[in-house]
Coordinates of all heavy atoms in Angstrom, one line a residue:
M1 N 0.8 -1.2 0.0 CA -0.1 0.0 0.0 C 0.9 1.3 0.0 O 1.9 1.4 0.6 CB -0.8 0.0 1.2 CG -1.7 1.2 1.3 SD -3.0 1.3 2.7 CE -3.8 -0.2 2.4
L2 N 0.5 2.3 -0.8 CA 1.1 3.5 -0.8 C 0.8 4.4 0.4 O -0.3 4.4 0.9 CB 0.9 4.2 -2.1 CG 1.3 3.5 -3.4 CD1 0.7 4.3 -4.6 CD2 2.8 3.5 -3.5
H3 N 1.6 5.2 0.7 CA 1.4 6.5 1.6 C 1.7 7.7 0.8 O 2.8 7.8 0.3 CB 2.2 6.4 2.9 CG 1.8 5.2 3.8 ND1 2.2 3.9 3.6 CD2 0.9 5.2 4.8 CE1 1.7 3.2 4.6 NE2 0.9 3.9 5.2
I4 N 0.7 8.5 0.6 CA 0.8 9.7 -0.2 C 0.8 10.9 0.7 O -0.1 11.0 1.5 CB -0.4 9.7 -1.3 CG1 -0.3 8.4 -2.2 CG2 -0.4 11.0 -2.0 CD1 -1.5 8.3 -3.0
K5 N 1.7 11.8 0.4 CA 1.8 13.1 1.2 C 0.9 14.2 0.4 O 1.2 14.6 -0.6 CB 3.2 13.5 1.4 CG 3.2 14.9 2.1 CD 4.6 15.3 2.3 CE 4.6 16.6 3.2 NZ 6.1 17.1 3.1
C6 N -0.3 14.3 0.9 CA -1.2 15.5 0.3 C -0.6 16.7 0.8 O -0.3 17.0 1.9 CB -2.6 15.2 0.9 SG -3.8 16.5 0.4
P7 N -0.5 17.6 -0.2 CA 0.1 18.9 0.1 C -0.9 19.9 1.0 O -0.4 20.7 1.5 CB 0.2 19.7 -1.3 CG -0.4 18.8 -2.3 CD -0.7 17.4 -1.7
H8 N -2.1 19.4 1.1 CA -3.0 20.1 2.0 C -3.1 19.5 3.4 O -3.3 20.2 4.4 CB -4.3 20.1 1.4 CG -4.3 20.7 0.0 ND1 -4.3 22.0 -0.3 CD2 -4.4 20.0 -1.3 CE1 -4.2 22.2 -1.6 NE2 -4.4 21.1 -2.2
C9 N -3.0 18.0 3.5 CA -3.3 17.4 4.7 C -2.2 16.6 5.3 O -2.2 16.3 6.5 CB -4.4 16.3 4.4 SG -5.9 17.0 3.7
G10 N -1.1 16.4 4.5 CA 0.0 15.7 5.1 C -0.1 14.2 4.6 O -0.8 13.8 3.7
M11 N 0.8 13.3 5.2 CA 0.9 11.9 4.8 C -0.5 11.2 5.1 O -0.9 11.2 6.3 CB 2.0 11.2 5.6 CG 2.6 10.1 5.0 SD 3.2 10.1 3.4 CE 4.8 10.8 3.7
R12 N -0.9 10.4 4.2 CA -2.1 9.6 4.3 C -2.0 8.4 3.6 O -1.3 8.1 2.7 CB -3.3 10.5 3.7 CG -3.5 11.8 4.5 CD -3.9 11.7 5.9 NE -3.8 12.9 6.7 CZ -4.9 13.6 7.1 NH1 -6.2 13.2 6.8 NH2 -4.7 14.6 7.6
S13 N -2.9 7.5 3.9 CA -3.0 6.1 3.3 C -3.4 6.3 1.8 O -4.4 7.1 1.6 CB -3.9 5.2 4.1 OG -4.2 4.1 3.3
Q14 N -3.1 5.4 0.9 CA -3.6 5.5 -0.4 C -5.2 5.3 -0.5 O -5.7 5.7 -1.4 CB -2.9 4.2 -1.2 CG -3.3 4.1 -2.6 CD -2.8 2.8 -3.3 OE1 -1.9 2.2 -2.7 NE2 -3.4 2.4 -4.4
N15 N -5.5 4.5 0.5 CA -7.0 4.3 0.5 C -7.9 5.5 0.5 O -9.1 5.5 0.1 CB -7.4 3.5 1.8 CG -6.8 2.1 1.8 OD1 -6.6 1.5 0.7 ND2 -6.8 1.5 2.9
E16 N -7.3 6.7 0.9 CA -8.1 7.9 0.9 C -8.0 8.7 -0.4 O -8.7 9.7 -0.6 CB -7.5 8.9 2.0 CG -7.6 8.4 3.4 CD -7.1 9.3 4.4 OE1 -6.9 10.5 4.0 OE2 -7.0 9.0 5.6
F17 N -7.3 8.0 -1.4 CA -7.2 8.7 -2.7 C -7.7 7.9 -3.8 O -7.9 6.7 -3.7 CB -5.7 9.0 -3.0 CG -4.9 9.9 -2.0 CD1 -4.5 9.4 -0.8 CD2 -4.8 11.2 -2.4 CE1 -3.8 10.4 0.1 CE2 -4.1 12.1 -1.5 CZ -3.7 11.7 -0.3
S18 N -8.0 8.6 -4.9 CA -8.6 8.1 -6.1 C -7.7 8.5 -7.2 O -7.4 9.8 -7.4 CB -10.0 8.5 -6.4 OG -10.4 7.9 -7.6
Y19 N -7.3 7.5 -8.1 CA -6.4 7.9 -9.2 C -7.1 8.5 -10.2 O -8.2 8.2 -10.6 CB -5.8 6.4 -9.8 CG -5.0 6.7 -11.0 CD1 -3.7 7.2 -11.0 CD2 -5.5 6.3 -12.3 CE1 -2.9 7.3 -12.1 CE2 -4.6 6.5 -13.4 CZ -3.4 6.9 -13.4 OH -2.6 7.2 -14.4
G20 N -6.5 9.6 -10.8 CA -7.2 10.5 -11.8 C -6.7 10.4 -13.1 O -7.2 11.2 -14.1
G21 N -5.5 9.8 -13.4 CA -5.0 9.7 -14.7 C -3.6 10.5 -14.9 O -3.1 10.9 -14.0
D22 N -3.3 10.5 -16.2 CA -2.0 11.1 -16.6 C -2.1 12.6 -16.5 O -2.9 13.3 -17.0 CB -1.8 10.6 -18.1 CG -0.4 11.1 -18.7 OD1 0.2 12.0 -18.1 OD2 0.0 10.6 -19.6
A23 N -1.2 13.1 -15.7 CA -1.2 14.6 -15.5 C -0.5 15.3 -16.5 O -0.4 16.7 -16.6 CB -0.4 14.9 -14.1
T24 N 0.0 14.8 -17.6 CA 0.7 15.4 -18.7 C -0.3 15.6 -19.9 O 0.2 16.2 -20.9 CB 1.9 14.6 -19.1 OG1 1.5 13.4 -19.6 CG2 3.0 14.4 -18.0
V25 N -1.5 15.1 -19.9 CA -2.3 15.2 -21.0 C -2.8 16.7 -21.1 O -3.4 17.2 -20.1 CB -3.4 14.2 -20.9 CG1 -4.5 14.4 -22.1 CG2 -2.9 12.8 -21.0
K26 N -2.8 17.3 -22.1 CA -3.2 18.7 -22.3 C -4.5 18.6 -23.3 O -4.6 18.0 -24.3 CB -2.3 19.6 -22.9 CG -0.9 19.6 -22.1 CD -1.1 20.4 -20.8 CE 0.2 20.5 -20.1 NZ 0.0 20.7 -18.7
R27 N -5.5 19.3 -22.8 CA -6.9 19.4 -23.6 C -6.6 20.4 -24.8 O -5.9 21.4 -24.6 CB -8.0 20.1 -22.7 CG -9.2 20.2 -23.4 CD -10.3 20.9 -22.5 NE -11.5 21.1 -23.1 CZ -12.5 20.3 -23.2 NH1 -12.6 19.3 -22.4 NH2 -13.7 20.6 -23.9
P28 N -7.0 20.0 -25.9 CA -6.9 20.9 -27.2 C -7.5 22.2 -26.8 O -8.5 22.4 -26.0 CB -7.7 20.1 -28.2 CG -7.6 18.8 -27.8 CD -7.7 18.8 -26.3
E29 N -7.0 23.3 -27.4 CA -7.5 24.5 -27.1 C -8.9 24.8 -27.6 O -9.4 24.2 -28.6 CB -6.6 25.6 -27.8 CG -5.3 25.8 -27.2 CD -4.5 27.0 -27.9 OE1 -5.1 28.0 -28.1 OE2 -3.3 26.7 -28.1
L30 N -9.7 25.6 -26.9 CA -11.1 25.9 -27.1 C -11.1 26.7 -28.4 O -10.2 27.5 -28.7 CB -11.8 26.5 -26.0 CG -11.9 25.7 -24.8 CD1 -12.7 26.6 -23.6 CD2 -12.9 24.5 -25.1
N31 N -12.2 26.7 -29.1 CA -12.5 27.6 -30.3 C -11.5 27.4 -31.3 O -11.2 28.4 -32.0 CB -12.7 29.0 -29.8 CG -13.9 29.2 -28.9 OD1 -14.8 28.6 -28.9 ND2 -13.5 30.1 -27.8
K32 N -10.9 26.3 -31.5 CA -9.9 26.1 -32.5 C -10.3 24.7 -33.3 O -11.0 23.9 -32.5 CB -8.5 25.9 -32.0 CG -7.9 27.2 -31.7 CD -6.4 27.2 -31.7 CE -5.9 28.5 -31.5 NZ -4.4 28.6 -31.6
E33 N -10.0 24.6 -34.5 CA -10.3 23.4 -35.2 C -9.4 22.3 -34.7 O -8.2 22.4 -34.5 CB -10.0 23.6 -36.7 CG -10.5 22.5 -37.6 CD -12.0 22.3 -37.7 OE1 -12.7 23.4 -37.5 OE2 -12.5 21.2 -37.9
V34 N -10.1 21.2 -34.3 CA -9.3 20.0 -33.7 C -9.7 18.8 -34.5 O -10.8 18.4 -34.8 CB -9.7 19.8 -32.2 CG1 -9.0 18.6 -31.7 CG2 -9.5 21.1 -31.4
S35 N -8.6 18.1 -34.9 CA -8.7 16.9 -35.7 C -9.2 15.7 -34.9 O -9.1 15.9 -33.6 CB -7.3 16.5 -36.4 OG -6.5 16.0 -35.4
D36 N -9.9 14.8 -35.6 CA -10.3 13.6 -34.8 C -9.2 12.9 -34.1 O -9.4 12.3 -33.1 CB -11.1 12.7 -35.8 CG -12.4 13.1 -36.3 OD1 -12.9 14.1 -35.8 OD2 -12.8 12.7 -37.3
Q37 N -8.0 12.9 -34.7 CA -7.0 12.1 -34.2 C -6.6 12.9 -32.8 O -6.2 12.3 -31.8 CB -5.8 12.2 -35.1 CG -4.5 11.4 -34.5 CD -4.9 10.0 -34.2 OE1 -5.4 9.2 -35.0 NE2 -4.5 9.5 -33.1
D38 N -6.6 14.2 -32.9 CA -6.1 15.0 -31.6 C -7.2 14.7 -30.5 O -6.8 14.6 -29.3 CB -6.1 16.5 -31.9 CG -4.8 16.8 -32.7 OD1 -3.9 16.0 -32.7 OD2 -4.8 17.9 -33.2
W39 N -8.5 14.6 -30.9 CA -9.5 14.3 -29.8 C -9.3 12.9 -29.3 O -9.4 12.7 -28.1 CB -10.9 14.5 -30.3 CG -11.4 15.9 -30.2 CD1 -11.7 16.8 -31.2 CD2 -11.6 16.7 -29.0 NE1 -11.9 18.0 -30.7 CE2 -12.0 18.0 -29.4 CE3 -11.4 16.3 -27.7 CZ2 -12.3 18.9 -28.4 CZ3 -11.7 17.3 -26.6 CH2 -12.0 18.7 -27.0
D40 N -9.1 11.9 -30.2 CA -8.7 10.6 -29.7 C -7.7 10.5 -28.9 O -7.7 9.8 -27.7 CB -8.5 9.7 -31.0 CG -9.7 9.3 -31.7 OD1 -10.8 9.6 -31.3 OD2 -9.6 8.8 -32.9
N41 N -6.6 11.2 -29.1 CA -5.5 11.3 -28.2 C -5.8 11.9 -26.9 O -5.2 11.4 -25.8 CB -4.2 12.1 -28.9 CG -3.7 11.2 -30.1 OD1 -3.8 10.0 -30.1 ND2 -3.0 12.0 -31.0
F42 N -6.5 12.9 -26.8 CA -6.9 13.6 -25.6 C -7.8 12.7 -24.8 O -7.6 12.5 -23.5 CB -7.5 14.9 -25.9 CG -8.1 15.5 -24.7 CD1 -7.3 16.0 -23.6 CD2 -9.5 15.6 -24.5 CE1 -7.8 16.6 -22.4 CE2 -10.0 16.1 -23.3 CZ -9.1 16.7 -22.2
V43 N -8.8 12.0 -25.4 CA -9.8 11.3 -24.6 C -9.3 9.8 -24.3 O -9.6 9.4 -23.3 CB -11.2 11.3 -25.4 CG1 -12.2 10.6 -24.7 CG2 -11.7 12.7 -25.6
Y44 N -8.8 9.2 -25.2 CA -8.6 7.7 -25.1 C -7.1 7.2 -25.1 O -6.9 6.3 -24.4 CB -9.4 7.0 -26.4 CG -10.7 7.2 -26.4 CD1 -11.3 8.0 -27.4 CD2 -11.6 6.7 -25.5 CE1 -12.6 8.2 -27.6 CE2 -12.9 6.9 -25.6 CZ -13.5 7.7 -26.7 OH -14.8 7.9 -26.8
N45 N -6.4 7.8 -26.0 CA -5.0 7.2 -26.1 C -4.0 7.6 -24.9 O -3.8 8.8 -24.7 CB -4.4 7.6 -27.5 CG -5.2 7.1 -28.5 OD1 -5.9 6.1 -28.4 ND2 -5.3 7.9 -29.6
R46 N -3.5 6.6 -24.3 CA -2.6 6.8 -23.2 C -1.4 5.9 -23.4 O -1.5 4.8 -23.8 CB -3.2 6.5 -21.8 CG -4.4 7.5 -21.4 CD -3.8 8.8 -21.2 NE -4.9 9.7 -20.9 CZ -5.7 10.4 -21.7 NH1 -5.4 10.4 -23.0 NH2 -6.6 11.2 -21.4
K47 N -0.2 6.3 -23.0 CA 1.0 5.5 -23.0 C 1.1 4.8 -21.6 O 0.7 5.4 -20.6 CB 2.2 6.3 -23.2 CG 2.2 6.9 -24.5 CD 3.4 7.8 -24.7 CE 3.4 8.5 -26.1 NZ 4.5 9.5 -26.2
S48 N 1.4 3.6 -21.6 CA 1.6 2.8 -20.3 C 3.0 2.7 -20.1 O 3.7 1.7 -20.3 CB 0.9 1.5 -20.4 OG 1.0 0.8 -19.1
L49 N 3.7 3.8 -19.6 CA 5.1 3.9 -19.4 C 5.5 3.2 -18.1 O 4.8 3.2 -17.2 CB 5.5 5.2 -19.4 CG 5.2 6.1 -20.6 CD1 5.6 7.4 -20.5 CD2 5.9 5.5 -21.9
R50 N 6.7 2.5 -18.1 CA 7.4 2.0 -17.0 C 8.4 3.0 -16.6 O 9.2 3.5 -17.3 CB 8.0 0.7 -17.3 CG 8.7 -0.1 -16.1 CD 9.4 -1.3 -16.6 NE 10.2 -1.9 -15.7 CZ 9.7 -2.8 -14.8 NH1 8.4 -3.3 -14.8 NH2 10.4 -3.3 -13.8
G51 N 8.3 3.4 -15.2 CA 9.3 4.3 -14.7 C 8.6 5.6 -14.2 O 7.5 5.5 -13.8
K52 N 9.3 6.7 -14.0 CA 8.8 7.9 -13.5 C 7.6 8.5 -14.4 O 7.6 8.4 -15.6 CB 9.9 9.0 -13.4 CG 10.7 9.0 -12.2 CD 11.5 10.3 -12.1 CE 12.3 10.1 -10.8 NZ 13.2 11.4 -10.6
H53 N 6.5 8.8 -13.7 CA 5.4 9.1 -14.4 C 4.6 10.2 -13.5 O 4.7 10.2 -12.3 CB 4.3 8.0 -14.5 CG 3.3 8.2 -15.6 ND1 2.0 8.4 -15.3 CD2 3.5 8.1 -16.9 CE1 1.3 8.5 -16.5 NE2 2.3 8.4 -17.4
K54 N 3.9 11.2 -14.1 CA 3.3 12.3 -13.5 C 1.8 12.0 -13.5 O 1.3 11.7 -14.7 CB 3.5 13.6 -14.2 CG 5.0 14.1 -14.0 CD 5.3 15.3 -14.7 CE 6.9 15.6 -14.6 NZ 7.2 16.7 -15.5
E55 N 1.1 11.8 -12.4 CA -0.3 11.6 -12.2 C -1.1 12.5 -11.5 O -0.6 13.2 -10.6 CB -0.3 10.1 -11.5 CG 0.5 9.0 -12.2 CD 0.7 7.9 -11.3 OE1 0.6 7.9 -10.0 OE2 0.8 6.8 -11.8
L56 N -2.4 12.5 -11.8 CA -3.5 13.2 -11.0 C -4.0 12.3 -10.1 O -4.4 11.1 -10.4 CB -4.4 13.8 -12.0 CG -4.2 15.0 -12.7 CD1 -5.2 15.2 -13.8 CD2 -3.8 16.2 -11.9
W57 N -4.2 12.7 -8.8 CA -4.9 11.9 -7.8 C -5.9 12.9 -7.1 O -5.5 14.1 -7.0 CB -4.0 11.4 -6.7 CG -3.1 10.2 -7.3 CD1 -2.1 10.3 -8.2 CD2 -3.3 8.8 -7.0 NE1 -1.6 9.0 -8.3 CE2 -2.3 8.1 -7.7 CE3 -4.2 8.1 -6.1 CZ2 -2.2 6.7 -7.5 CZ3 -4.0 6.7 -6.0 CH2 -3.0 6.0 -6.7
Q58 N -7.0 12.4 -6.6 CA -8.0 13.2 -5.8 C -8.0 12.5 -4.4 O -8.0 11.3 -4.2 CB -9.2 13.3 -6.4 CG -10.1 14.3 -5.6 CD -11.6 14.3 -6.2 OE1 -12.1 13.4 -6.9 NE2 -12.3 15.3 -5.8
H59 N -7.9 13.4 -3.3 CA -7.9 13.1 -2.0 C -9.4 13.0 -1.6 O -9.9 13.8 -0.9 CB -7.2 14.1 -1.2 CG -6.8 13.6 0.3 ND1 -6.3 14.3 1.3 CD2 -7.2 12.3 0.8 CE1 -6.2 13.6 2.3 NE2 -6.7 12.4 2.1
I60 N -10.0 11.9 -2.0 CA -11.5 11.9 -1.9 C -12.0 11.7 -0.5 O -13.1 12.1 -0.2 CB -12.2 10.8 -2.8 CG1 -11.4 9.4 -2.5 CG2 -11.9 11.0 -4.3 CD1 -12.1 8.1 -3.2
S61 N -11.2 11.1 0.4 CA -11.7 10.9 1.7 C -11.0 11.9 2.7 O -11.0 11.6 3.9 CB -11.4 9.4 2.2 OG -12.1 8.5 1.4
G62 N -10.5 12.9 2.1 CA -9.9 13.9 3.0 C -10.4 15.3 2.5 O -11.6 15.6 2.6
C63 N -9.4 16.1 2.0 CA -9.8 17.4 1.5 C -10.5 17.5 0.2 O -10.9 18.7 -0.2 CB -8.6 18.3 1.5 SG -7.3 17.8 0.3
R64 N -10.6 16.6 -0.5 CA -11.3 16.4 -1.8 C -10.5 17.1 -3.0 O -11.0 17.4 -3.9 CB -12.7 16.8 -1.8 CG -13.5 15.9 -0.7 CD -15.0 16.0 -0.9 NE -15.5 15.7 -2.2 CZ -15.6 14.4 -2.7 NH1 -15.4 13.4 -1.9 NH2 -16.1 14.1 -3.9
Q65 N -9.2 17.6 -2.6 CA -8.5 18.4 -3.6 C -7.9 17.5 -4.5 O -7.4 16.4 -4.3 CB -7.5 19.2 -2.9 CG -8.1 20.3 -2.1 CD -8.9 21.4 -2.8 OE1 -8.4 21.9 -3.7 NE2 -10.1 21.6 -2.4
W66 N -7.6 17.9 -5.9 CA -6.8 17.2 -6.8 C -5.4 17.6 -6.5 O -5.1 18.7 -6.3 CB -7.1 17.6 -8.2 CG -8.5 17.0 -8.6 CD1 -9.7 17.5 -8.4 CD2 -8.6 15.7 -9.2 NE1 -10.7 16.7 -8.9 CE2 -10.0 15.6 -9.4 CE3 -7.8 14.7 -9.7 CZ2 -10.6 14.4 -10.0 CZ3 -8.4 13.6 -10.2 CH2 -9.8 13.4 -10.3
I67 N -4.5 16.6 -6.7 CA -3.1 16.8 -6.5 C -2.3 16.1 -7.6 O -2.9 15.3 -8.4 CB -2.6 16.3 -5.2 CG1 -2.7 14.8 -5.0 CG2 -3.2 17.0 -4.1 CD1 -2.1 14.2 -3.8
K68 N -1.0 16.5 -7.8 CA -0.1 15.9 -8.8 C 0.9 15.1 -8.1 O 1.5 15.6 -7.0 CB 0.5 16.8 -9.8 CG -0.5 17.6 -10.7 CD 0.2 18.6 -11.6 CE -0.7 19.3 -12.4 NZ 0.0 20.5 -13.1
I69 N 1.1 13.9 -8.6 CA 2.2 13.1 -7.9 C 3.2 12.6 -9.1 O 2.8 12.2 -10.2 CB 1.6 11.8 -7.3 CG1 0.6 12.2 -6.2 CG2 2.4 10.8 -6.9 CD1 -0.1 11.1 -5.5
E70 N 4.5 12.7 -8.8 CA 5.5 12.0 -9.6 C 5.8 10.7 -8.8 O 6.3 10.6 -7.8 CB 6.7 12.9 -9.7 CG 7.6 12.4 -10.7 CD 8.8 13.3 -10.9 OE1 9.4 13.7 -10.0 OE2 9.2 13.5 -12.1
R71 N 5.5 9.6 -9.6 CA 5.6 8.3 -9.0 C 6.2 7.3 -10.1 O 6.1 7.4 -11.3 CB 4.2 7.7 -8.7 CG 4.2 6.3 -8.1 CD 2.8 6.0 -7.7 NE 1.9 5.7 -8.9 CZ 1.7 4.6 -9.5 NH1 2.3 3.6 -9.0 NH2 0.9 4.5 -10.5
D72 N 7.0 6.4 -9.6 CA 7.7 5.3 -10.4 C 6.6 4.2 -10.5 O 6.2 3.6 -9.4 CB 9.0 4.9 -9.8 CG 9.7 3.9 -10.8 OD1 9.1 3.0 -11.3 OD2 11.0 4.2 -11.0
T73 N 6.2 3.9 -11.7 CA 5.1 2.9 -12.0 C 5.6 1.6 -11.7 O 4.9 0.6 -11.6 CB 4.5 3.0 -13.4 OG1 5.6 2.9 -14.4 CG2 3.8 4.4 -13.5
A74 N 6.9 1.3 -11.7 CA 7.5 0.0 -11.5 C 7.8 -0.3 -10.0 O 7.4 -1.4 -9.6 CB 8.8 -0.2 -12.3
T75 N 8.3 0.8 -9.3 CA 8.5 0.5 -7.9 C 7.5 1.1 -6.9 O 7.6 0.8 -5.7 CB 10.0 1.1 -7.5 OG1 9.8 2.6 -7.7 CG2 11.0 0.6 -8.4
H76 N 6.7 1.9 -7.5 CA 5.7 2.8 -6.8 C 6.3 3.8 -5.8 O 5.6 4.3 -4.9 CB 4.7 1.8 -6.0 CG 4.0 0.8 -6.8 ND1 3.1 1.2 -7.7 CD2 4.1 -0.5 -7.0 CE1 2.6 0.2 -8.4 NE2 3.4 -0.9 -8.0
E77 N 7.6 4.0 -6.0 CA 8.2 5.0 -5.2 C 7.6 6.4 -5.6 O 7.5 6.8 -6.9 CB 9.7 5.1 -5.4 CG 10.4 6.2 -4.5 CD 11.9 6.3 -4.8 OE1 12.5 5.4 -5.5 OE2 12.5 7.0 -4.1
I78 N 7.3 7.3 -4.6 CA 6.7 8.6 -4.9 C 7.8 9.6 -4.6 O 8.4 9.7 -3.5 CB 5.5 8.9 -4.0 CG1 4.3 8.0 -4.4 CG2 5.1 10.4 -4.1 CD1 3.1 8.0 -3.5
F79 N 8.1 10.4 -5.6 CA 9.2 11.4 -5.4 C 8.6 12.8 -5.0 O 9.5 13.4 -4.4 CB 9.9 11.4 -6.9 CG 10.5 10.2 -7.3 CD1 9.8 9.4 -8.3 CD2 11.6 9.7 -7.0 CE1 10.2 8.3 -8.8 CE2 12.1 8.5 -7.4 CZ 11.4 7.7 -8.2
K80 N 7.5 13.1 -5.5 CA 7.2 14.5 -5.2 C 5.5 14.5 -5.3 O 4.9 13.8 -6.1 CB 7.7 15.4 -6.2 CG 7.5 16.9 -6.0 CD 8.3 17.7 -7.0 CE 8.2 19.2 -6.7 NZ 8.8 19.9 -7.7
T81 N 4.9 15.4 -4.5 CA 3.5 15.6 -4.6 C 3.3 17.2 -4.4 O 4.0 17.8 -3.7 CB 2.6 14.9 -3.5 OG1 3.2 15.4 -2.2 CG2 2.8 13.5 -3.6
V82 N 2.4 17.8 -5.4 CA 2.2 19.2 -5.3 C 0.7 19.4 -5.5 O -0.1 18.5 -5.9 CB 3.0 19.9 -6.4 CG1 4.4 19.8 -6.3 CG2 2.6 19.4 -7.8
K83 N 0.2 20.6 -5.3 CA -1.1 21.0 -5.6 C -1.4 20.8 -7.1 O -0.4 21.0 -7.8 CB -1.4 22.4 -5.2 CG -1.2 22.6 -3.6 CD -1.5 24.0 -3.3 CE -1.3 24.2 -1.8 NZ -1.3 25.6 -1.4
A84 N -2.6 20.6 -7.6 CA -2.9 20.4 -8.9 C -2.6 21.7 -9.7 O -2.3 21.7 -11.0 CB -4.4 20.1 -9.0
S85 N -2.6 22.9 -9.2 CA -2.4 24.1 -9.9 C -0.9 24.3 -10.0 O -0.4 25.2 -10.8 CB -3.0 25.2 -9.2 OG -2.5 25.4 -7.8
E86 N 0.0 23.5 -9.4 CA 1.4 23.7 -9.5 C 2.0 22.8 -10.6 O 1.5 21.7 -10.8 CB 2.0 23.5 -8.2 CG 1.5 24.4 -7.0 CD 2.0 24.1 -5.7 OE1 2.6 23.0 -5.5 OE2 1.9 25.0 -4.8
D87 N 3.2 23.2 -11.1 CA 3.9 22.3 -11.9 C 4.7 21.3 -11.1 O 5.3 21.7 -10.2 CB 4.9 23.1 -12.8 CG 4.1 24.0 -14.0 OD1 3.0 23.5 -14.3 OD2 4.6 24.9 -14.3
I88 N 4.8 20.1 -11.7 CA 5.5 19.1 -11.0 C 6.8 18.8 -11.7 O 6.9 18.8 -13.0 CB 4.7 17.9 -10.8 CG1 5.4 16.8 -9.8 CG2 4.4 17.1 -12.1 CD1 4.5 15.7 -9.2
Ligands
ZN1 ZN1 -5.9 16.2 1.3

């Protein structure tokens, strides 16, 4: 089980969090022509990388805030956690 340091609440059990996906995916700009392939990439296509990865998590059983985590997907080591509005 992971222990995640919420930037708002401190160290908590993974059970209090919900995984929210890849934190590096950028939504296509509004009011611009977007190809079907760009929408497919935004909505569906994800890489399943081994190693360091930036992820979104929500502290659902705590402050309910979204946070970003840099985690190794092979070892589950967490290197850094920040507020969702911050760059990781
Ligand atoms: Zn929290």
Side-chain angles (χ1 to χ4, degrees):
M1 176 174 308
L2 295 175
H3 287 88
I4 299 172
K5 184 180 178 185
C6 174
H8 306 279
C9 307
M11 194 66 75
R12 301 298 167 104
S13 166
Q14 175 191 353
N15 292 340
E16 295 186 11
F17 293 83
S18 178
Y19 177 74
D22 186 339
T24 63
V25 176
K26 300 292 183 203
R27 182 185 176 95
E29 289 188 45
L30 294 174
N31 302 322
K32 285 196 170 184
E33 190 69 28
V34 179
S35 70
D36 291 343
Q37 184 61 52
D38 286 345
W39 275 114
D40 284 349
N41 289 338
F42 171 67
V43 176
Y44 300 110
N45 297 330
R46 298 290 182 269
K47 295 175 184 171
S48 183
L49 300 175
R50 180 180 173 91
K52 276 191 178 181
H53 201 255
K54 295 173 183 172
E55 304 170 331
L56 286 169
W57 289 71
Q58 185 181 19
H59 194 183
I60 56 171
S61 296
C63 62
R64 303 195 56 81
Q65 295 295 308
W66 285 92
I67 63 173
K68 291 179 185 169
I69 295 177
E70 185 175 48
R71 180 177 69 93
D72 189 310
T73 57
T75 65
H76 301 293
E77 180 180 358
I78 295 174
F79 302 99
K80 188 175 183 182
T81 60
V82 297
K83 297 176 183 175
S85 59
E86 299 174 346
D87 289 328
I88 192 166

